[in-house]
Amino acid sequence: MKYPLTKGLMIRKIKDLPLFWYVYKLYTEQIFNRRLIPMQKSAENVFSSIYENNDWKSDESRSGPGSTLDHTRAIVKKLPEFLKKHGVHSMLDAPCGDFNWMKHVDKKDIRYIGGDIVKELVKANNLQYGTDKISFVQLDIIKDSLPDVDLIFMRDCLVHFSNENITRFFKNLISSNIKYLLTTNFPLTRHNFDISMGNFRFINLLRKPYNLPKEEDILWEDSIEYNGQCPDKSLYLWDVDKIRNHMNG
């Protein structure tokens, strides 16, 4: 898909240059790591710290600006039909965050499990939103056993993982009985730079070091985030069997 060359897209292309990224990473990593010291930098501690301190600086959602209603209008509308198209009757949403936008998605035909590594967030979600078909569990998707569901939904997740932990997640995923993975992807990204756990960068899972097989389908977000820097932000659907065969092949 081609996109008009806007100011936002030009900034995005500059961020994808290795030399620029090297300088940018030194700056962002220094700030990020300073916030976490002296905490042990486990995934749970990293994301619990981000949640408790509202480090993503959103007044609407502790899960960050990408979880506001303005930035999720398109997928709130599109997701139910997309799930129906692919025969999804049960899903794990991980990380589910504070359920700020997902609570507006029509899930009447879906058994929904929201998984998050932040204990206090899971507790609050269960108290406020739990029903017989909607539940929340504390879950580390890198190492915990994943529930038997049709689909794992991972929006704005792997963009915050180090490459090492992305690999660990995929090894955990292919040991599960989950049929589909639906996760954030940025197809315009040419270089997948590494980060500390909890930081952020645009990733393209079709490129190295991930090199996932061709996707089954794409749900475009029609994103307006980052002042137009990510018109390619999308949710790619993968058949987990194909990922398993790719990793074991």
Side-chain angles (χ1 to χ4, degrees), residues 223-242:
S223 175
I224 58 172
E225 291 180 62
Y226 297 102
N227 298 313
Q229 289 184 38
C230 43
D232 59 328
K233 186 177 184 183
S234 45
L235 290 157
Y236 272 47
L237 182 76
W238 274 282
D239 185 317
V240 175
D241 271 342
K242 292 183 179 179

Side-chain angles (χ1 to χ4, degrees), residues 47-93:
F47 290 106
S48 293
S49 175
I50 290 170
Y51 170 73
E52 290 165 6
N53 298 323
N54 194 20
D55 281 339
W56 286 319
K57 308 300 182 187
S58 171
D59 294 331
E60 181 181 327
S61 172
R62 286 289 184 98
S63 298
S67 295
T68 64
L69 296 184
D70 276 348
H71 290 153
T72 54
R73 293 188 191 282
I75 52 174
V76 166
K77 182 178 180 181
K78 294 178 181 181
L79 187 57
E81 190 59 34
F82 189 89
L83 297 178
K84 182 178 180 180
K85 174 183 176 182
H86 293 284
V88 174
H89 300 288
S90 58
M91 66 183 286
L92 168 65
D93 177 10

Side-chain angles (χ1 to χ4, degrees), residues 89 107-113 130-135:
H89 300 288
K107 300 180 290 296
K108 65 178 181 295
D109 296 322
I110 301 289
R111 178 172 64 87
Y112 173 94
I113 303 171
T131 68
D132 59 336
K133 294 186 68 174
I134 296 174
S135 60

